Amino acid sequence: MFILPKALQHTTNWSGGTTTQLCVYPKDSTYAGRDFLFRISTATVETETSTFTSLPGFQRVLMILNGLLVITHQNHHTKTLHTFDSDRFDGGWETSAIGKVTDFNLMMAEGVTGRCKHQLLQAKQHISITVEDDFYGVYWLEGNAILRYQERDYILNAKDFIRFNTGETFTIMTEEIGHWVSVEVDYHSTIY
């Protein structure tokens, strides 16, 4: 288990806003080098219209965290995404969008599979999870909560990112309504 608090996350600019990398695997790979098996990030889209960077050889899952986005993949499909809606698409498609949003991104090389899901806990509830995938991430969105891992408690703050490996078990306990995005990735079957 590893916690990347919001204060230690690295944010950079792109042509339409900002992007914050939460995880890249392997850890010595880079987005610029396109040598990663998967990359997880959040981004803001601050212009009304935007064009996505071409990423041939990668699959993408885009989830809206805040706002409304109309995403168009030329010669494929157009989809309207509300908060917590997602779209899965080929990174090599010619893609554009209309709308100012904050989003959550999962990029995967060929052979890697993954999914993102919005999770919700009511106040005074808890959930225990045993990781069955190669990688499990939690991007905490809001609400007071405690993460219990190996009999130790950690406070979860908005925009903290926590990652777990296969076989690890953890519990999230809330004081008030809590939201997060879970991301699950399987990559061990990939030849790398």
Side-chain angles (χ1 to χ4, degrees), residues 32-86:
R34 305 293 196 264
D35 56 349
F36 57 88
L37 285 181
F38 66 91
R39 179 181 188 261
I40 301 166
S41 63
T42 63
T44 62
V45 179
E46 299 169 7
T47 58
E48 191 58 38
T49 60
S50 55
T51 301
F52 283 53
T53 301
S54 180
L55 291 169
F58 293 90
Q59 292 294 309
R60 298 188 63 176
V61 178
L62 179 80
M63 176 184 283
I64 303 304
L65 299 180
N66 185 25
L68 173 71
L69 190 76
V70 179
I71 189 167
T72 299
H73 310 289
Q74 188 172 348
N75 300 321
H76 295 281
H77 67 269
T78 296
K79 190 171 182 180
T80 300
L81 302 174
H82 300 269
T83 300
F84 302 129
D85 288 342
S86 62

Side-chain angles (χ1 to χ4, degrees), residues 133-144:
D133 301 280
D134 297 326
F135 175 95
Y136 189 96
V138 170
Y139 184 61
W140 192 256
L141 295 172
E142 65 179 345
N144 293 331

Side-chain angles (χ1 to χ4, degrees), residues 5-192:
K6 179 183 183 300
L8 297 181
Q9 296 168 12
H10 182 63
T11 299
T12 58
N13 293 318
W14 66 282
S15 61
T18 63
T19 183
T20 302
Q21 181 170 288
L22 301 173
C23 180
V24 64
Y25 183 86
K27 65 181 179 180
D28 57 350
S29 60
T30 65
Y31 171 73
R34 305 293 196 264
D35 56 349
F36 57 88
L37 285 181
F38 66 91
R39 179 181 188 261
I40 301 166
S41 63
T42 63
T44 62
V45 179
E46 299 169 7
T47 58
E48 191 58 38
T49 60
S50 55
T51 301
F52 283 53
T53 301
S54 180
L55 291 169
F58 293 90
Q59 292 294 309
R60 298 188 63 176
V61 178
L62 179 80
M63 176 184 283
I64 303 304
L65 299 180
N66 185 25
L68 173 71
L69 190 76
V70 179
I71 189 167
T72 299
H73 310 289
Q74 188 172 348
N75 300 321
H76 295 281
H77 67 269
T78 296
K79 190 171 182 180
T80 300
L81 302 174
H82 300 269
T83 300
F84 302 129
D85 288 342
S86 62
D87 188 29
R88 180 181 296 267
F89 58 96
D90 188 302
W93 289 352
E94 189 174 328
T95 299
S96 61
I98 299 171
K100 297 180 181 181
V101 298
T102 302
D103 60 41
F104 185 87
N105 301 279
L106 171 61
M107 302 173 182
M108 299 163 288
E110 291 181 13
V112 177
T113 59
R115 59 225 143 261
C116 302
K117 182 180 177 183
H118 170 247
Q119 306 268 15
L120 171 67
L121 274 181
Q122 298 298 326
K124 305 290 185 183
Q125 284 192 324
H126 72 274
I127 184 172
S128 292
I129 296 172
T130 299
V131 177
E132 297 178 358
D133 301 280
D134 297 326
F135 175 95
Y136 189 96
V138 170
Y139 184 61
W140 192 256
L141 295 172
E142 65 179 345
N144 293 331
I146 294 172
L147 169 71
R148 181 164 291 159
Y149 175 76
Q150 295 185 347
E151 299 182 16
R152 286 190 59 192
D153 289 347
Y154 304 85
I155 295 172
L156 293 179
N157 296 301
K159 300 187 180 177
D160 286 351
F161 184 75
I162 309 97
R163 63 182 191 225
F164 302 91
N165 295 313
T166 304
E168 293 184 308
T169 298
F170 64 95
T171 300
I172 295 177
M173 301 168 284
T174 59
E175 286 297 315
E176 56 190 41
I177 292 176
H179 291 267
W180 77 96
V181 174
S182 65
V183 54
E184 303 166 53
V185 182
D186 288 309
Y187 57 85
H188 274 122
S189 62
T190 304
I191 298 173
Y192 188 70

